[in-house]
Structures are given as C-alpha cells and as structure tokens.
Amino acid sequence: MGKCGARELNYISDVDVIYVVDPGSLEDAKANTIGTALASGISRAISSVAREPGLWEVDANLRPEGKSGPLVRTLASHETYYARWAESWEFQALLKARAIAGDAALGRAYEEAVAPLIWSSAGREGFVESVQAMRRRVTENIPAAEEQRQIKLGRGGLRDVEFTVQLLQLVHGKADESLRRRDTTSAIAALSAGGYIGRSDAAAFDNAYRYLRLLEHRIQLFQLRRTHLMPVAEPAQRSLAKAVLGPFSSERPSPDSLLTAWQRTKRSVRALHERIFYRPLLNTAAKLSSEDAKLTPEAAQGRLAALGYRDPQGAMRHIEALTAGVSRRAALQRQLLPILLDWLAEGVDPDAGLLAFRRVSEALGTTHWYLGLLRDSNAAAERLCHMLSNSRLIADLLEVSPESVAWLGQDKDLVPVGFEAQWQEIIAKMSRHSDPESAMRLIRLIRRREILRIAIADSAGLLDQDQVGKALADTDRAAVLGALRVAEGIVSATGPLKTTVLVVAMGRQGGREIGYGSDADVMYVHRALPGFSETEAQEQAARIVAKVSSLLTQPLKPAIMAERVLQMDADLRPEGKNGAMVRSLDSFAEYYRRWSLIWEAQALLRARPMAGDDALAADFLKLIDPIRYPDTVEEQDVREIRRVKARVESERLPRGADPARHLKLGRGGLSDVEWLVQLLQLQHAGKHPALRTTSTLEALSAAVDLGLLDAADAGLLADAWRLASRIRSANVIWSGKASDLLPSSRRDLEAVARWCGYEPGHAAALEEDYLRVSRRARAVFERVFYGH
C-alpha cells in the first residue's frame, strides 16, 4: 500500500502493507492464526534491532478496521468488509494496492476483487464528505509548531497534490481505464493525455510534485531519519539548498532562495488544485474552442458530483449561463469561477449557493463594480460564496437586494446602523412620501436591508451574540415606530388625533435578546388627549393599533420565502387573548391594582417602551415598577410560579417533541434559564436595583454579584442560554424557517453547527455540547428553582 505500492518510496520510508491469506482446505480461523504468525514473523525479521538496525518499519494500519482489526484476513473477509463497511477514504488508499510478495495467484485475485469497488466508490453516498473529512483530519492533526514547516501534510504540500490527483482518478477512472495508475506522476500524465486536465497545468503540477519530493528526499538523506519538516537552522537550510540545486547550478544556493522557491511551489500547488478541478468544467460549459482540457458532459457531471454538488446537471446549466459568450463579463466569470466553485463546494449546500450566485450575478451583471470586487478582493469573494452555500436567508435577501454585495469589500459597511440613524432615515423617507403605502414599503425595505447587514456581519464574525440581539431589536424598534407614525397619519386623515399610543416591548424583544425571525411580544397603552373622552380615545387607539399590526405584516414585493414579516404578538396583555388589545394607562393601573396575577408581574420584568409618546412611556414605567419589583413576594406566589412553570412544560411542549432537543421549552432550555432568573428578580429586585434589568444575562450576572447564585451555576445557565439562542438563530439562517428544535437531520445539524462556530464535519460535537450543557443547566434549574 501507499508509496511502496506505487513504487514511490523515499530513502527512509515505512512500508505500508495489508496481509491476505487463502485458507485452502483449512478453516478460516486456523488459516488466520497461521497467517498472523507469518505476518508477525515478517515484521520482526525486517524491523527488529540486532547487531545492525532494522531495515525499515512495516505498517499494517491501512488494513480493514485499522489497528482495531485483525492483522490478517482471508480474501473473502476483505471483500465483505469493503463491500459493506469500508469508508470512502479507504478506496482512495486502495488506489495504490499492489501484490509485492507471497502467492502470486492470491495477489492477482485480491487486486481483481478490490478493483471494481475502487472504481465505483465515487458514486457512494457520502463519498465527498468522507474524503474531505479525511483530508481535514490530516491537516488538523499537524502540531501547531510544525504547521508552517510541513512539506508533506501542510497546505500546498505533497498530500494536496496526491489528494487532487487521486480524487480525479476516482471520479473519471470508472469509465476510463487509462487513469488506473498507482503512482502520482503517471496518473498526472494519464489525466493530461485523456483531456481531464490541461497540458500546461499537468506539467506545472508534475514539476511541483517532483520538486517537493526532491526536498523530502534530500532532507531525509541529510538527517538519515524519516521526516517531512523543513529544517529551521540556517546551516541545515544552506546544505539543503546546495543539495537541491546541485553542484552545477548557476544559481547561488542560500536559505532565502530555498525558502522562496518552496513557498512559491506551495502557492502554485493551491492555485493548480483549483484550476485542475474547475477549468475543464468551464471549458466544457462555455463550449470554448480551446486547446486546453475539456470534459464530456458525463465526465463534467461526475466531477461536480464528486465535489459535493447534488444536482450536477443543474450546476452545469448555471456554469454554462455564467460563462457562455465572448463578453467581458463572461470572460471575467471564467477567470473567477475556478476558485469560486471551490469555495461554494466547501458549503453545506453548494447547489443552492451556485444558483444564488448566478441570480446575484445576473442582477448585477451590468454594474461596473461587481465582478471587479470579486476579482480584486479574495476576502469578499470567499465571504460571498460561503454565505450563499450556507444560508438560505442571506442568499434570498441578497437575491432581492443584490447591491448589498458591495458591503463585503469593507468591514466598516457591515457595522449595524443604530436606532437613531435608522429613525432619521425613516423620517426623511416619510417626508418625501406622503402616501402611507409608499412610506410603509420604504420602512419595511429599511428593516430588510438592516437584517441583511446584521446577518452578513454575523456570518463574517464581526458581531457577537449580544450585539446581534441588540442590533435586531433596534431595527424592529425603528420599523414599529415608523408603522405607528404611518398608522396615526392614516387615522388623523379622517379627523383629529384623540389619543397618544405607546408600544411596550415584552419578552425577548423587551430584553433586546431576539434572534432572526423573532416575533415582537408587545402591549399597547394609550392616553386620551385633552378635550376627548375615554370612549373616543379608546375607539381611536384600537384603530391605530390594528393598523400598526396590519402595516407591519404586509409582505414586501418581491416576496421571498425565507423572509419573515414582523408579527406583533399581544398575548401578554392583561387578561391575555380575552382582554382588550389596547388599554388606557388608567385602565392598566386599575387592572393591576385589583386583578393582577403573579405571572403578569413576572411578564412585566421584561417590559420596555418601544415606540410612542415619551411622557406616556415614563408614566407607564412608574406604574409597573412597584408591581414587577415588589418589596416582598409571598410564598404562595412562589408556589404559583412553580406550578405554572410545571404546567407550561407539560402542556405547551409540542406532541412528539423530544424534551432534550427542544431549545425553548425542553430540558435546560431557554425557558428554564429565564424563569429561574425572573424568580430571583421578583424575590430580590425590590431591594437590589442591580437586578432591575430586562436582560436575562445582565440579571444573571447581577445575581452572582449579589451572592444570590453560585458563579459556576450561573456560568452553566448562561452557556445553555447562549447556545440555545444561537442554534435558534442558526435554524432561521440556514433554512429560512423558524424552529425551536435542535436539528436531527445530519445535513441540517452540520449547517447549524457551522453557524455556531464549529469546524466543518463537527456537527456531532455541537449535538453533544448542547445535550451536555442543557442537561447540566436543568440540574441547576431544578435545584435552585424548585429547591430540589
């Protein structure tokens, strides 16, 4: 196997092998016992130290099941394993399998048995993900101190060349037997001869590979040990430079010239990887009459499928639409697409990403700046590709607001616009558009634009979770205030205004802790203007409130599936759904004095004026502060809060939902953390002003400072709350749909994990982290909230 199988050994290499036995007339178990004894004896004879060192190291770790599997298997056992249980990367390793010793007939039988499996492996489910994950694992396992010195495993190293060549062999070798070569240089030549990569690219790739192998050989000869690291000492580098250049070179060897040539080769390998994979696809799609490589439609689709595209035919249509013709735009797309397709393929849904890229490109195709931005700014181009292939919400918003791509070139353009700036813009728009429908459309467009800006900044890692929540809350506040002013204008067109209206944010909106797609929990308060009766004011306030909700929930045109209008939810008002939608301040005062329940005081803990009259807002806060921050809380009220919480858990959790995976109402979810914090606020905020905040995390921190909660317990609760909130937002970002469940689909979980900051291929780590932290948070909740 490996370099021995391909006849590519270094001076100091280990020898990768797999052992196969033919039991003949023996039972399999007996044959395996004998075979194991023979294999162990071979390794001892070759590797053991006597008066002289061992010859070389024999490594059998590439066998089925690796170190956990038996050292020796029968041919039938090998066939069964590869047909049923082998991972895709194992077929990549089998490309180099060659019988080198022992029974020749058995060797031929083994090679013939695995060949069909090797050349059909590119069509296996999960092939791309498995091979890419294996490549990532190799890179991740490089010690940090060695990362920049690796000739073999690092970026632009030997493994990158071999990975590229082997993947192309697996994709195209099923139909073209000329590609079935074991060694890398012969495989490159065969790929070039077959038209799968261009001649110039093949020559450059071959030269880069030979140069890196030369470095590897010379380093091992110099140190007489197996190593793939560039030396750091200057004398060693100088010696290596002389050895690489040779005695007849006209160039003067030096450490600087050596390192410069090596770095240039590494950059070349990375660039060639992209060109070799994608340039022939573009030549085929654009129907170019080029001497360079072109693929048959079938080969092009096979290559796209191997790179992660689930609909290769559709992908080819998009590439064709982007690159066909002789226009400057088509030429620039052909120049850019090799690397853009690679970046798109790194996403969870490259097909959707490519479709979105085509739509954005078609919308912006005639602009002077778009393709120039992608050509001149690698960061902007990579950022765009990763967003389009990982987020349905961002892709859909960019499709209707393609000019926002310009923000990707400058981080300063992604700084969220504050409430005051948004409100001033809304005032200016309203002054120029007296028509209520036009004014409201512009307000909703501003909200859409700012949500997109926040999502892009979030995707780029420019905002933390708290900043995202505050920015989204500011955007909703500006839109609600604009809708309120438009609604008042509509009503006042038929007569004088008789009342002032206040919109009070509740729940997570009140705490400025919302996510993408959050509704707005609100209450409406009004106060009659002088000269008008309470009855007249109440009737007009109800009309204004109904109009506000109607204005905000009208979808924008063009509508997009992933966009959620701002739904106003007033269920937390006095008497809930049975109560009046809007009440006067005096009516609120009377209700809270006579009938208020403890859960309503709990809900008021997150009340925050959102839009409307400032004087009315101040008076409303003055009214509710004694209610939500009482001097004492009766024990019966504490029991009632606990009873209501238990009922919510049993009645509101959706039927069939797994409590361990429900982010809001499940075990250790958002509800557990928020109810515990709110109970502490009700019990102690009357005496401790530091607890008088609408923010869950600020109240949690204050409880620790006041000695009401252990710091370790608070840390667990905060971690669970943050992670659940982040996953909720990620569900919307990925799919465009709100969901309170930790995804169970592997693909959805992978997308959510990436948004939450996990590396590709680590979806299981997110799942484990959430289940662990929520379980521990639940234990804290039960101990503190219920006193268990």
Side-chain angles (χ1 to χ4, degrees):
M1 302 290 286
K3 283 187 168 61
C4 182
R7 292 188 167 95
E8 297 173 327
L9 284 171
N10 295 323
Y11 285 100
I12 301 174
S13 285
D14 57 357
V15 175
D16 295 310
V17 298
I18 285 178
Y19 296 107
V20 191
V21 294
D22 180 359
S25 60
L26 297 175
E27 292 182 358
D28 285 0
K30 183 67 173 175
N32 285 337
T33 300
I34 296 171
T36 300
L38 287 169
S40 301
I42 292 169
S43 294
R44 280 196 304 273
I46 293 172
S47 306
S48 61
V49 177
R51 286 180 294 179
E52 293 183 353
L55 294 174
W56 53 80
E57 184 179 334
V58 177
D59 186 344
N61 288 338
L62 289 177
R63 66 186 184 271
E65 299 181 83
K67 293 180 180 178
S68 303
L71 184 61
V72 171
R73 286 177 184 260
T74 64
L75 178 58
S77 176
H78 277 279
E79 290 179 288
T80 301
Y81 173 83
Y82 287 123
R84 297 179 61 181
W85 296 298
E87 295 186 40
S88 296
W89 67 264
E90 294 181 86
F91 297 105
Q92 188 176 353
L94 283 171
L95 278 169
K96 297 183 180 293
R98 175 174 64 93
I100 59 167
D103 187 87
L106 179 58
R108 285 193 299 273
Y110 177 83
E111 291 176 9
E112 290 168 1
V114 299
L117 300 173
I118 295 170
W119 302 113
S120 62
S121 63
R124 287 163 53 97
E125 182 73 24
F127 169 78
V128 181
E129 293 84 350
S130 175
V131 173
Q132 289 176 341
M134 186 61 184
R135 181 71 189 99
R136 280 196 302 269
R137 282 197 295 273
V138 169
T139 306
E140 289 168 359
N141 288 332
I142 301 173
E146 297 181 359
E147 189 172 355
Q148 300 304 316
R149 299 173 55 206
Q150 265 286 349
I151 295 170
K152 179 179 180 180
L153 303 178
R155 288 177 64 84
L158 286 163
R159 186 65 83 230
D160 270 355
V161 178
E162 293 164 352
F163 175 84
T164 302
V165 171
Q166 290 165 14
L167 195 53
L168 289 175
Q169 285 180 277
L170 290 172
V171 171
H172 301 298
K174 180 179 181 181
D176 188 344
E177 295 187 9
S178 71
L179 303 182
R180 300 181 183 183
R181 309 296 180 90
R182 294 188 180 92
D183 66 286
T184 304
T185 55
S186 295
I188 293 172
L191 287 164
S192 177
Y196 299 98
I197 59 178
R199 288 193 296 272
S200 59
D201 287 343
F205 217 37
D206 185 82
N207 288 336
Y209 180 71
R210 290 174 186 274
Y211 176 77
L212 293 171
R213 289 303 306 272
L214 179 63
L215 280 179
E216 188 181 44
H217 284 315
R218 295 297 181 262
I219 290 171
Q220 293 189 3
L221 270 178
F222 180 70
Q223 299 186 20
L224 286 178
R225 65 184 179 88
R226 184 156 51 96
T227 179
H228 310 286
L229 300 178
M230 176 64 70
V232 292
E234 186 173 320
Q237 290 178 353
R238 190 177 304 279
S239 297
L240 180 58
K242 291 178 181 178
V244 169
L245 286 173
F248 304 110
S249 171
S250 59
E251 184 180 343
R252 184 177 180 180
S254 69
D256 286 344
S257 65
L258 170 74
L259 296 177
T260 299
W262 177 44
Q263 294 298 332
R264 184 171 59 245
T265 301
K266 289 203 295 183
R267 289 192 298 271
S268 172
V269 167
R270 292 302 301 169
L272 284 164
H273 166 83
E274 288 140 8
R275 288 213 304 271
I276 285 170
F277 264 123
Y278 296 104
R279 182 66 62 193
L281 290 171
L282 305 189
N283 293 339
T284 300
K287 301 179 173 62
L288 297 179
S289 56
S290 165
E291 294 183 1
D292 212 343
K294 286 198 294 185
L295 307 175
T296 65
E298 295 76 16
Q301 290 171 29
R303 186 174 297 191
L304 282 167
L307 292 166
Y309 290 85
R310 296 188 171 208
D311 179 14
Q313 284 185 306
M316 281 302 296
R317 286 195 299 272
H318 301 321
I319 295 170
E320 193 171 322
L322 288 164
T323 59
V326 294
S327 66
R328 179 177 179 274
R329 182 176 65 181
L332 272 173
Q333 288 282 19
R334 290 195 292 271
Q335 177 186 339
L336 293 170
L337 271 171
I339 189 168
L340 299 185
L341 288 168
D342 201 24
W343 282 331
L344 287 168
E346 292 174 0
V348 179
D349 191 349
D351 298 270
L354 181 56
L355 173 60
F357 178 76
R358 174 184 172 180
R359 288 174 172 169
V360 169
S361 295
E362 288 172 345
L364 295 174
T366 57
T367 60
H368 69 280
W369 57 267
Y370 170 60
L371 291 175
L373 170 69
L374 300 186
R375 178 194 61 205
D376 299 334
S377 173
N378 268 1
E382 185 173 9
R383 193 176 275 177
L384 176 64
C385 291
H386 287 169
M387 288 187 304
L388 294 179
S389 56
N390 287 304
S391 170
R392 169 77 182 274
L393 178 68
I394 295 177
D396 281 3
L397 289 173
L398 278 175
E399 186 180 331
V400 294
S401 305
E403 69 282 353
S404 303
V405 171
W407 297 338
L408 300 177
Q410 296 284 340
D411 284 354
K412 64 181 179 62
D413 293 331
L414 294 174
V415 175
V417 177
F419 165 75
E420 289 298 336
Q422 289 183 59
W423 178 234
Q424 290 305 314
E425 183 181 1
I426 287 172
I427 291 174
K429 300 285 188 188
M430 292 170 64
S431 69
R432 294 194 295 270
H433 297 84
S434 56
D435 171 44
E437 186 175 334
S438 298
M440 198 61 221
R441 181 176 183 276
L442 292 171
I443 291 169
R444 292 197 299 271
L445 281 173
I446 291 171
R447 178 173 179 267
R448 172 191 276 181
R449 181 197 69 199
E450 292 311 309
I451 289 174
L452 175 57
R453 190 193 309 272
I454 294 162
I456 293 174
D458 192 3
S459 171
L462 302 177
L463 300 177
D464 62 30
Q465 192 170 332
D466 296 342
Q467 292 170 321
V468 170
K470 289 179 172 63
L472 289 171
D474 282 348
T475 296
D476 282 357
R477 182 187 173 198
V480 170
L481 181 54
L484 178 60
R485 293 292 177 252
V486 171
E488 289 173 340
I490 293 171
V491 170
S492 64
T494 59
L497 279 179
K498 303 171 184 178
T499 187
T500 59
V501 174
L502 172 69
V503 182
V504 180
M506 304 288 285
R508 290 170 71 88
Q509 186 75 243
R512 302 180 76 201
E513 297 167 334
I514 61 173
Y516 304 99
S518 290
D519 294 339
D521 290 318
V522 297
M523 291 197 304
Y524 299 103
V525 190
H526 81 97
R527 181 159 56 192
L529 292 171
F532 298 101
S533 69
E534 286 294 332
T535 303
E536 291 176 299
Q538 178 68 29
E539 186 274 334
Q540 189 181 76
R543 288 170 55 205
I544 291 173
V545 165
K547 184 59 69 176
V548 167
S549 181
S550 171
L551 290 169
L552 287 168
T553 53
Q554 291 175 10
L556 272 169
K557 294 180 181 178
I560 55 176
M561 290 292 293
E563 184 176 31
R564 287 171 61 82
V565 297
L566 183 57
Q567 296 284 353
M568 307 293 278
D569 186 341
D571 286 354
L572 292 175
R573 65 187 184 271
E575 299 181 84
K577 293 180 180 179
N578 298 320
M581 184 65 72
V582 56
R583 289 174 179 262
S584 69
L585 182 64
D586 290 342
S587 176
F588 270 99
E590 180 68 11
Y591 177 84
Y592 286 135
R593 184 179 66 81
R594 298 181 61 184
W595 296 295
S596 174
L597 300 173
I598 189 63
W599 72 262
E600 292 173 299
Q602 180 185 353
L604 288 172
L605 286 166
R606 308 187 81 177
R608 176 179 59 86
M610 189 179 191
D613 184 75
D614 291 341
L616 180 55
D619 290 343
F620 181 75
L621 290 178
K622 189 181 299 182
L623 167 67
I624 67 171
D625 277 355
I627 299 167
R628 61 181 176 173
Y629 307 135
D631 291 333
T632 59
V633 176
E634 300 295 331
E635 183 58 34
Q636 66 186 32
D637 289 332
V638 174
R639 285 198 301 270
E640 176 64 9
I641 289 173
R642 291 170 175 163
R643 186 191 66 80
V644 172
K645 175 66 168 81
R647 194 184 76 195
V648 166
E649 287 182 16
S650 63
E651 295 179 2
R652 291 186 57 192
L653 192 70
R655 180 175 296 179
D658 182 354
R661 304 182 77 88
H662 201 280
L663 304 166
K664 182 178 180 180
L665 301 175
R667 179 192 71 194
L670 297 169
S671 175
D672 281 357
V673 179
E674 290 167 3
W675 278 66
L676 187 153
V677 169
Q678 290 159 18
L679 179 58
L680 293 176
Q681 287 179 288
L682 285 171
Q683 291 174 317
H684 303 285
K687 296 183 178 64
H688 300 291
L691 287 168
R692 298 175 188 178
T693 173
T694 60
S695 165
T696 300
L697 295 182
E698 288 178 11
L700 198 58
S701 177
V704 174
D705 293 341
L706 293 167
L708 302 174
L709 195 61
D710 180 76
D713 289 345
L716 269 176
L717 295 170
D719 288 346
W721 188 92
R722 285 183 186 278
L723 188 53
S725 298
R726 187 69 174 161
I727 294 170
R728 271 181 115 198
S729 280
N731 282 336
V732 178
I733 285 287
W734 159 239
S735 66
K737 300 174 184 176
S739 172
D740 285 329
L741 290 172
L742 176 68
S744 52
S745 155
R746 291 295 101 181
R747 188 164 180 248
D748 294 344
L749 190 63
E750 174 68 20
V752 167
R754 293 192 191 191
W755 187 262
C756 292
Y758 289 76
E759 291 296 320
H762 287 72
L766 166 67
E767 186 173 43
E768 292 166 7
D769 287 349
Y770 178 74
L771 295 176
R772 181 182 64 255
V773 74
S774 61
R775 183 176 64 250
R776 296 170 68 188
R778 178 66 182 190
V780 173
F781 168 79
E782 291 183 347
R783 174 162 42 83
V784 177
F785 186 84
Y786 288 118
H788 290 174

